[in-house]
Amino acid sequence: MATYCLTVTRLQHALGQGVRRLHVSAALSAKAKVAMSRFEPSSHINYEKLHSNINIVRKRLNRPLTLSEKIVYGHLDDPEGQEIARGRTYLRLRPDRVAMQDATAQMAMLQFISSGLPRVAVPSTIHCDHLIEAQIGGAQDLQRAKEVNQEVYNFLSSAGAKYGVGFWKPGSGIIHQIILENYAYPGVMLIGTDSHTPNGGGLGSICIGVGGADAVDVMAGIPWELKCPNVIGVKLTGTLSGWTSPKDVILKVAGILTVKGGTGAIVEYHGPGVDSISCTGMATICNMGAEIGATTSVFPYNHRMRTYLHKTGRGDIADLADEYKDILVPDPGCEYDQVIEINLSELKPHINGPFTPDLAHPVSDVGKVAEQSGWPLEVKVGLIGSCTNSSYEDMGRAASLAKQALDRGLKCKAQFTVTPGSEQIRATIERDGYAKVLREVGGVVLANACGPCIGQWDRRDVKKGEKNTIVTSFNRNFTARNDANPATHAFVTSPEIVTALAIAGTLNFNPETDYLTAPNGEKFKLEPPTGDELPARDFDPGQDTYQHPPPEGGSLRVDVNPQSNRLQLLEPFDKWNGKDLEDLHVLIKVKGKCTTDHISAAGPWLKFRGHLDNISNNLLIGAVNIENDAVNKVCNQLTGEYGGVPDVARHYKKHGVQWVVVGDENYGEGSSREHAALEPRHLGGRAIIVKSFARIHETNLKKQGLLPLTFNDPNDYDKIRPNDKISILGLDNFAPGKPLHALIKHSDGSQDTIQLNHTFNETQIEWFQAGSALNRMKELQH
């Protein structure tokens, strides 16, 4: 009975005292009791307050509200007084909870420790999913990760215990799947230190990816700032069927909006087609919304979400959501800034890539396009799973195709890997036979972790530089992202299409029309995939991998060894000296796409995410230098010699020379990793001047005391030469909405003056002046 009593207490806490009491049947199965004892959403589900705030704002604005507006404005710190203008004003918000994955949690917790605060102010969790390298198979890889990363896991576990943060141990699963299973619910606002946090929008949540410094603000109880988002409406009609899957919706949208078309906006799906998509399918669509630059994505509450809540042990939350459904769907007559319409009945299976997630092709066309473009047709590896597509439904539909091939005596021609999204999914697909079928067709079941999706893949079947093709059900396919090989052509698609192409072994295969050949010579077509949305029986929770923080952790110690090469306590950045920034050297003028993978690579570098000086050795090593079209080769203006980007930056810093980076469009797209902002600050950078920024990266730069600036005239990018010196003028009158100017001094003695724009508000200017947001937080404590 002890487990049952704890369960009721936690669930009552989840719904918030005074809002509504829960009634949990005492006749729970043993499995259900284990599952629910791991369910620990501590945030108060106070729909009454949300409802009240929404009414205040609706009355003030005197217009119908979209769903995303309801949830966002419902979390305003000051709903009566907050100025609200889409795309213009900064909102001060009170998110319900924080989630951090282990690679970003290290720096977030180091910053929280530096704040001097005794305990987090909102429910928060750490999820160990990024540091497990795919090498042999799930059990062996997990054990190896525990040994290799013991120091980091101990730090995160002890810091969580001391400061009141829940800890999901390695092997528990990917952060976004754990959130969906345990913490997301209709109407919640959650921020997470990972760009794919929007996955929770599949359960009617506003879940937003942020950098660690933003998470520290929320954990410290400080209102969190977000520029008031525009709202893009995607109206869905028709019904999904056959080979078309939820993934195809976002693959199509990415092709329409491109990698920056959603910047500054929330994508809100609506229309009659929504009801034909499962809850986990909606999560897939929201997850990959990060690839169009969207702040987040969200679906309205419906019966699919209700069913999922019941299946994951949260039926009482579903009942409460039913009572307040009017605040969990958009108002009739609400207006969107842009509307896209997609007829699901006409939507065809898509595959996007290579090298960018917005290069969309119908599967029926990709073979021909690949031939014309010189992309390798042979599929070397098919990879299914990841935070985007690892649900029970995904695995079931993939297994249905694998079973058809096995029945005809066929196995995958390509290598095939399977990544379960959580321990619960792994245990359930093992119990229900899906894992067995996927292994028999040639698959290797990897650990419940990010693995190859983020470059944690010890790939050995091709040499670095060898041109090859892989197909994945992941979300991101930037150059070298998955396997550190820049010649790998990675395509993203649905798990069903990945499985079919892995069986066929070629991109030039359309499962809707093309035939496979069995060993006996018989030709056959694969029937469209089928799979249950949710298991007929309850989910099997598997092993218990959650560590709840003790009620009082003040006496606990968190030790960081000064000799560690994995962890390093942070030193405050220097304050602004009150003067203009003069004669900054150009460290690198970046050519073309520059994602956070280019700025601070993942893969083997993940092990240094808790050690700022060591991780800084990967600064911009993937960016292309416009001077010579080379990567990690820039001219040191002090010596005239060429060296690696971080080496030259360190040389400048040693000699007291500050510097800038010049970049192109959508600079910093991709991951939320704040290391891409911490590293340039640590090595002496002062400003990043580009044509446009991705949202999260721009905020991260501001948080660390850097100046993210944009050309007023994008053509001014061409005026800057790699050996120029740049002075940033007007900082003595730095103010919101007031441009700065740059004086560009060329080596031939000539000069140019250009206008630079910024999006700083008054609070963010204080961050710059203090040296960082964390410095400013400490100033305010005294």
Side-chain angles (χ1 to χ4, degrees), residues 189-267:
M189 173 174 273
L190 177 150
I191 66 165
T193 60
D194 189 280
S195 57
H196 293 108
T197 301
N199 189 81
L203 200 42
S205 311
I206 290 293
C207 298
I208 301 176
V210 299
D214 275 344
V216 172
D217 279 356
V218 178
M219 291 191 292
I222 298 171
W224 173 61
E225 286 195 341
L226 176 71
K227 196 168 192 179
C228 188
N230 290 315
V231 187
I232 298 173
V234 179
K235 183 179 181 180
L236 302 179
T237 60
T239 306
L240 285 178
S241 63
W243 283 91
T244 306
S245 75
K247 186 67 162 284
D248 296 306
V249 175
I250 186 58
L251 294 173
K252 178 71 173 178
V253 169
I256 295 169
L257 287 176
T258 77
V259 290
K260 63 176 185 176
T263 303
I266 293 177
V267 179

Side-chain angles (χ1 to χ4, degrees), residues 108-246:
M109 292 308 296
L110 286 166
Q111 289 177 87
F112 188 82
I113 291 169
S114 296
S115 76
L117 296 169
R119 196 170 177 87
V120 296
V122 301
S124 305
T125 48
I126 293 167
H127 303 259
C128 294
D129 61 1
H130 269 57
L131 302 180
I132 303 168
E133 184 182 52
Q135 190 177 69
I136 302 167
Q140 302 98 313
D141 294 346
L142 177 59
Q143 184 56 40
R144 179 170 171 267
K146 288 178 178 178
E147 295 167 3
V148 170
N149 302 307
Q150 181 179 11
E151 180 186 11
V152 171
Y153 292 148
N154 286 347
F155 165 72
L156 293 174
S157 173
S158 60
K162 181 174 180 65
Y163 296 105
V165 179
F167 180 70
W168 288 84
K169 301 172 188 176
S172 59
I174 305 173
I175 178 173
H176 311 303
Q177 184 69 28
I178 297 294
I179 289 171
L180 199 71
E181 294 172 355
N182 296 274
Y183 302 124
Y185 60 83
V188 73
M189 173 174 273
L190 177 150
I191 66 165
T193 60
D194 189 280
S195 57
H196 293 108
T197 301
N199 189 81
L203 200 42
S205 311
I206 290 293
C207 298
I208 301 176
V210 299
D214 275 344
V216 172
D217 279 356
V218 178
M219 291 191 292
I222 298 171
W224 173 61
E225 286 195 341
L226 176 71
K227 196 168 192 179
C228 188
N230 290 315
V231 187
I232 298 173
V234 179
K235 183 179 181 180
L236 302 179
T237 60
T239 306
L240 285 178
S241 63
W243 283 91
T244 306
S245 75

Side-chain angles (χ1 to χ4, degrees), residues 369-387:
V369 174
E371 284 184 304
Q372 293 170 348
S373 305
W375 303 333
L377 283 174
E378 180 190 2
V379 174
K380 287 284 190 180
V381 191
L383 305 98
I384 66 169
S386 84
C387 65

Side-chain angles (χ1 to χ4, degrees), residues 188-429:
V188 73
M189 173 174 273
L190 177 150
I191 66 165
T193 60
D194 189 280
S195 57
H196 293 108
T197 301
N199 189 81
L203 200 42
S205 311
I206 290 293
C207 298
I208 301 176
V210 299
D214 275 344
V216 172
D217 279 356
V218 178
M219 291 191 292
I222 298 171
W224 173 61
E225 286 195 341
L226 176 71
K227 196 168 192 179
C228 188
N230 290 315
V231 187
I232 298 173
V234 179
K235 183 179 181 180
L236 302 179
T237 60
T239 306
L240 285 178
S241 63
W243 283 91
T244 306
S245 75
K247 186 67 162 284
D248 296 306
V249 175
I250 186 58
L251 294 173
K252 178 71 173 178
V253 169
I256 295 169
L257 287 176
T258 77
V259 290
K260 63 176 185 176
T263 303
I266 293 177
V267 179
E268 187 172 313
Y269 294 85
H270 62 282
V274 166
D275 285 343
S276 76
I277 305 173
S278 67
C279 177
T280 52
M282 291 187 261
T284 291
I285 294 167
C286 292
N287 177 294
M288 197 174 159
E291 272 37 84
I292 57 173
T295 300
T296 191
S297 302
V298 68
F299 278 83
Y301 179 63
N302 67 0
H303 71 280
R304 300 277 196 162
M305 296 181 191
R306 175 181 173 79
T307 301
Y308 184 79
L309 286 167
H310 275 279
K311 271 293 183 183
T312 51
R314 296 173 286 169
D316 285 79
I317 296 177
D319 293 343
L320 194 58
D322 286 342
E323 285 186 29
Y324 286 89
K325 185 173 182 180
D326 63 313
I327 64 171
L328 304 174
V329 296
D331 286 340
C334 67
E335 294 188 0
Y336 300 98
D337 296 287
Q338 177 183 354
V339 176
I340 296 168
E341 293 196 26
I342 296 176
N343 186 335
L344 300 179
S345 300
E346 298 173 356
L347 182 63
K348 288 294 186 181
H350 273 63
I351 182 168
N352 289 21
F355 305 121
T356 185
D358 58 354
L359 185 57
H361 322 274
V363 171
S364 56
D365 295 346
V366 73
K368 182 168 62 177
V369 174
E371 284 184 304
Q372 293 170 348
S373 305
W375 303 333
L377 283 174
E378 180 190 2
V379 174
K380 287 284 190 180
V381 191
L383 305 98
I384 66 169
S386 84
C387 65
T388 320
N389 277 114
S390 58
S391 67
Y392 185 83
E393 180 181 39
D394 289 328
M395 295 300 173
R397 285 170 66 87
S400 75
L401 298 173
K403 183 71 165 56
Q404 291 181 55
L406 289 169
D407 288 346
R408 302 295 184 111
L410 274 185
K411 291 192 175 185
C412 290
K413 288 185 179 178
Q415 292 183 46
F416 188 48
T417 70
V418 180
T419 304
S422 68
E423 170 62 7
Q424 179 166 276
I425 293 295
R426 183 208 62 79
T428 307
I429 66 171

